[in-house]
Amino acid sequence: MMKRTWKIILISLAGIIVLILGAAWYLSVHWKGLLDKQLSRSVKESSDSLYTLAYKEIHLNLLTGSVGIENVVLLPDSAVYARMVAEQRAPTTVYNAKMSSLQISGMNIISYFLKKKVNAGAFVVKDPEITIIDDQRSTDTTPKRSLYESLHDNIRSFSVGRIDLEDTKLTFTQIRKDSSKVITQLEGVTMKIRGLEIDSISEQDPARFLYARNFDLELKKWDYRTPDSLYWMHVNGISYNAVARELNVAEVKLDPRYNKADFDKKIKTQKDRYQLAFRELRLQGIPFISLLQRQEFFVKRMDINGGELNIYRNRGLPMPPGNKLGQFPNQLLRKLQMPLLIDTIRAKGVDISYTELHPESGDPGKIEFHNAGGIFRNITNVDSLIARQGHCLIDLHAILMKTGKLRAHFDFSLTDTTGVFAVSGQLKDMDGKEFNQVTKALGNIQIRSALIKELEFSMKGNERTASGTLKLLYSNLKIAMLKDEEDKDGNKKKKGLASLFANLLAIKNENPSPGEAVRIAKPTYRRDIQKTFFNLVWKTIFTGVKETVGTPLLETMGKRKK
């Protein structure tokens, strides 16, 4: 009796299971046809016939709540868009997308068909290619509708736990009002969207970005060759959190494509050769939409935690034609086409070097700044912001050569077109012999001894000239004048008699001198308009140093040498 009872129960269960599976199969097949029609119709209706959705095949499993769509393509209809443009109701942003497959899991399919609600656990997109075109020439005079309002007639609500797009090819094209184009292409982008909710409540939620609780973009690397073909820019380890508006970059590198000798052959005239690497960059407060759609680069704060900057110039090459008027930092900032605001930059742990070759001997002179850092404030070219704060302020510190403690303050006017600026600074406790790697190569002068106790300077200027005051406190200055010829050890030979006269008559070996007041120089320097801003600052300081250290005989010796 028991065996017969169990047999009946098992047969009944099997029948129920077969019935459920059969019903599920029937509904899956039936609703697959409905889904086929509804997807295309919903896309067309919600976009006012602008977009067409096409795909190769769709798979639907009612029991598991999974949907698979193969070879998906979303295309804008160019004829419809042209008509919208003529009617002044064309959207400024148009999308084009394709993917090899879209896998949907954990979806409540019954809720979709009966209540027009999309509720799914995950969307996984494979091999997506997304093109975004922002046409600033378009005019849309129709009332603005949100994404939720556009979808509401066909989908009451849209909720997805996560959306993953791996290895995305992203192209953003901006067409400006003059019909010029700016194209940005990124490959290998990973997008991770979490907690996407499209409904009447979420569209008002300020904690969301594009209806999502979290929106992350990741890119392993981005390589870019500069338009002059002299450099490669490499950006590695990029991640952006749109909700937090934070961008992190592991490293930014600018590498010359040629070694120094080949670089000189390419450029043929004097030009700085840069090699830089900045590490652990963190940018906060970046509005992603403003960057993409309006080409505005606004940053609340940027941090740079380490790096190197090496600059090289061959003064043996002829000077380039023209001049560098209008190329001071504040002037270049105003010329940028992209609206820019970086409220604060904090940098630390950067090593900087500048190497220059003597125009005749080819000997390299090198100056080094170690563990440099500082704060940059109010870097902007936006007129409304400049009206509130018209100065860009920079405070820097570094170890000059090996021991010199250097601090400097820069004040750039953002309102004046002639490059008005002010600079002040201080150098303390430095062994003057550390400058020999510069003075021996570029000036044929060896500093045998010098204790720099303190150097204070301040100046004001513009793109034509600079003037200020300089106080240099030092002691025990002794130099040696050098010949161009070298001894058997490869060192430049000394001019014995010239060195003797220089120490006795051309220089003052300390400041203040015994029984005298501290000498304070008031240097003025008229800029060589083929040289840079930093050359003007350096030449003004050097003029004050010569006034402090030298006698009238030193100036005479300098003129004879020229």
Side-chain angles (χ1 to χ4, degrees):
M1 187 70 179
M2 285 295 293
K3 288 184 178 181
R4 186 180 177 187
T5 302
W6 277 109
K7 186 176 181 179
I8 293 172
I9 292 173
L10 290 175
I11 291 173
S12 300
L13 287 174
I16 293 171
I17 292 172
V18 169
L19 184 63
I20 292 172
L21 290 175
W25 173 83
Y26 171 78
L27 290 175
S28 294
V29 172
H30 178 66
W31 281 352
K32 174 186 173 183
L34 291 177
L35 189 60
D36 253 330
K37 296 176 182 178
Q38 287 192 12
L39 282 177
S40 299
R41 188 182 71 243
S42 296
V43 170
K44 197 168 185 177
E45 290 178 356
S46 61
S47 66
D48 199 7
S49 299
L50 177 59
Y51 290 101
T52 299
L53 178 68
Y55 45 85
K56 180 181 179 181
E57 192 173 357
I58 187 168
H59 306 279
L60 182 121
N61 190 315
L62 185 64
L63 293 178
T64 61
S66 62
V67 180
I69 311 175
E70 297 179 8
N71 296 332
V72 185
V73 178
L74 179 69
L75 289 174
D77 188 316
S78 57
V80 174
Y81 188 74
R83 188 177 71 246
M84 288 180 163
V85 170
E87 296 170 354
Q88 293 192 340
R89 59 188 188 90
T92 56
T93 306
V94 179
Y95 304 89
N96 184 328
K98 65 179 181 178
M99 59 203 75
S100 63
S101 71
L102 170 61
Q103 300 294 327
I104 305 172
S105 62
M107 180 174 174
N108 189 333
I109 297 174
I110 296 176
S111 178
Y112 170 73
F113 282 106
L114 299 182
K115 300 179 180 179
K116 292 186 178 181
K117 292 183 178 182
V118 174
N119 193 330
F123 279 33
V124 178
V125 183
K126 293 186 178 180
D127 306 318
E129 296 183 17
I130 302 172
T131 300
I132 304 171
I133 301 174
D134 179 48
D135 193 339
Q136 296 183 349
R137 301 169 303 176
S138 298
T139 302
D140 186 0
T141 58
T142 61
K144 301 296 181 184
R145 299 182 72 196
S146 67
L147 177 60
Y148 168 69
E149 290 171 333
S150 299
L151 295 176
H152 183 63
D153 291 339
N154 294 287
I155 299 176
R156 300 285 175 80
S157 65
F158 190 98
S159 175
V160 182
R162 65 180 178 90
I163 301 176
D164 292 331
L165 295 87
E166 300 284 346
D167 198 24
T168 305
K169 182 178 181 181
L170 184 63
T171 302
F172 181 81
T173 301
Q174 184 185 63
I175 305 175
R176 293 172 174 167
K177 292 186 181 296
D178 61 1
S179 295
S180 63
K181 294 182 179 181
V182 178
I183 301 175
T184 303
Q185 289 184 321
L186 300 173
E187 294 189 12
V189 178
T190 296
M191 299 187 193
K192 297 180 179 180
I193 303 169
R194 300 293 182 263
L196 183 67
E197 301 273 354
I198 303 177
D199 54 32
S200 58
I201 298 175
S202 62
E203 72 174 346
Q204 305 296 332
D205 189 348
R208 292 177 177 269
F209 175 79
L210 297 179
Y211 298 91
R213 280 289 181 196
N214 208 13
F215 195 115
D216 291 326
L217 296 176
E218 296 178 0
L219 182 62
K220 290 182 179 179
K221 66 174 184 175
W222 178 60
D223 299 320
Y224 171 75
R225 189 170 70 176
T226 58
D228 58 15
S229 293
L230 294 176
Y231 298 93
W232 275 107
M233 176 175 283
H234 306 289
V235 186
N236 302 316
I238 307 165
S239 64
Y240 178 71
N241 184 295
V243 175
R245 301 200 302 178
E246 182 172 300
L247 174 69
N248 287 278
V249 181
E251 185 178 51
V252 175
K253 295 178 68 177
L254 184 68
D255 288 331
R257 297 183 62 214
Y258 308 97
N259 61 33
K260 293 175 182 176
D262 290 339
F263 186 90
D264 290 341
K265 291 176 184 177
K266 285 283 182 183
I267 59 174
K268 296 182 174 57
T269 58
Q270 287 190 37
K271 188 174 185 176
D272 289 337
R273 175 185 182 269
Y274 297 94
Q275 187 165 19
L276 68 85
F278 291 148
R279 289 181 287 276
E280 295 182 31
L281 284 78
R282 184 184 183 193
L283 293 80
Q284 298 172 281
I286 300 180
F288 187 71
I289 300 299
S290 296
L291 179 60
L292 276 184
Q293 293 187 343
R294 295 191 290 274
Q295 295 289 291
E296 298 174 343
F297 190 73
F298 289 179
V299 179
K300 184 67 176 176
R301 172 170 169 168
M302 177 190 298
D303 292 280
I304 301 173
N305 294 308
E308 298 88 32
L309 170 59
N310 301 308
I311 308 169
Y312 158 87
R313 173 176 282 243
N314 185 352
R315 286 185 57 211
L317 297 175
M319 291 294 293
N323 59 62
K324 291 186 178 296
L325 291 174
Q327 296 186 35
F328 273 17
N330 43 350
Q331 293 173 315
L332 293 174
L333 186 60
R334 291 188 65 89
K335 291 178 181 179
L336 280 178
Q337 295 296 317
M338 176 185 286
L340 172 71
L341 169 64
I342 305 178
D343 188 82
T344 305
I345 299 178
R346 293 180 180 270
K348 63 180 181 181
V350 180
D351 293 329
I352 304 170
S353 72
Y354 175 76
T355 302
E356 189 174 281
L357 299 190
H358 191 278
E360 297 171 3
S361 67
D363 292 337
K366 184 177 182 180
I367 190 166
E368 298 172 317
F369 303 87
H370 297 284
N371 201 27
I375 302 175
F376 302 69
R377 296 182 177 89
N378 197 43
I379 304 171
T380 187
N381 59 359
V382 180
D383 290 336
S384 59
L385 300 175
I386 292 173
R388 291 190 308 216
Q389 167 55 285
H391 295 264
C392 173
L393 305 176
I394 305 173
D395 289 287
L396 300 177
H397 62 265
I399 300 298
L400 178 58
M401 308 305 271
K402 295 180 181 179
T403 61
K405 301 176 182 64
L406 176 65
R407 291 188 175 274
H409 174 77
F410 295 81
D411 183 337
F412 292 102
S413 171
L414 300 177
T415 58
D416 190 281
T417 60
T418 63
V420 169
F421 70 93
V423 181
S424 60
Q426 182 186 66
L427 175 66
K428 298 186 71 174
D429 302 328
M430 183 173 177
D431 185 348
K433 291 187 293 184
E434 295 170 14
F435 283 119
N436 276 328
Q437 66 184 56
V438 179
T439 61
K440 290 170 70 173
L442 303 182
N444 272 356
I445 296 175
Q446 177 186 11
I447 300 174
R448 291 168 53 200
S449 67
L451 175 59
I452 301 173
K453 300 176 182 178
E454 184 178 39
L455 168 66
E456 287 186 352
F457 61 88
S458 64
M459 69 184 77
K460 295 181 178 180
N462 55 38
E463 63 178 351
R464 294 284 184 176
T465 185
S467 60
T469 61
L470 180 142
K471 180 177 71 173
L472 172 60
L473 304 181
Y474 67 96
S475 62
N476 197 31
L477 173 61
K478 291 183 174 58
I479 64 173
M481 310 297 287
L482 304 178
K483 302 178 181 180
D484 288 328
E485 57 185 287
E486 298 178 347
D487 58 24
K488 61 181 181 179
D489 296 324
N491 298 316
K492 289 185 176 182
K493 293 182 178 180
K494 297 178 182 179
K495 298 178 181 179
L497 188 59
S499 299
L500 177 63
F501 275 107
N503 285 299
L504 289 176
L505 303 174
I507 64 171
K508 301 173 182 177
N509 71 351
E510 59 185 333
N511 184 32
S513 297
E516 298 182 8
V518 172
R519 300 187 299 278
I520 297 177
K522 298 187 179 297
T524 297
Y525 188 81
R526 186 158 190 83
R527 178 193 177 196
D528 179 344
I529 58 174
Q530 287 190 302
K531 302 294 180 65
T532 65
F533 164 78
F534 291 103
N535 180 267
L536 173 61
V537 173
W538 159 243
K539 288 292 188 179
T540 306
I541 294 173
F542 186 62
T543 298
V545 170
K546 286 196 301 181
E547 289 181 13
T548 304
V549 170
T551 67
L553 179 60
L554 181 64
E555 186 66 25
T556 303
M557 292 171 65
K559 290 180 180 179
R560 286 178 180 174
K561 188 172 182 180
K562 291 181 181 179

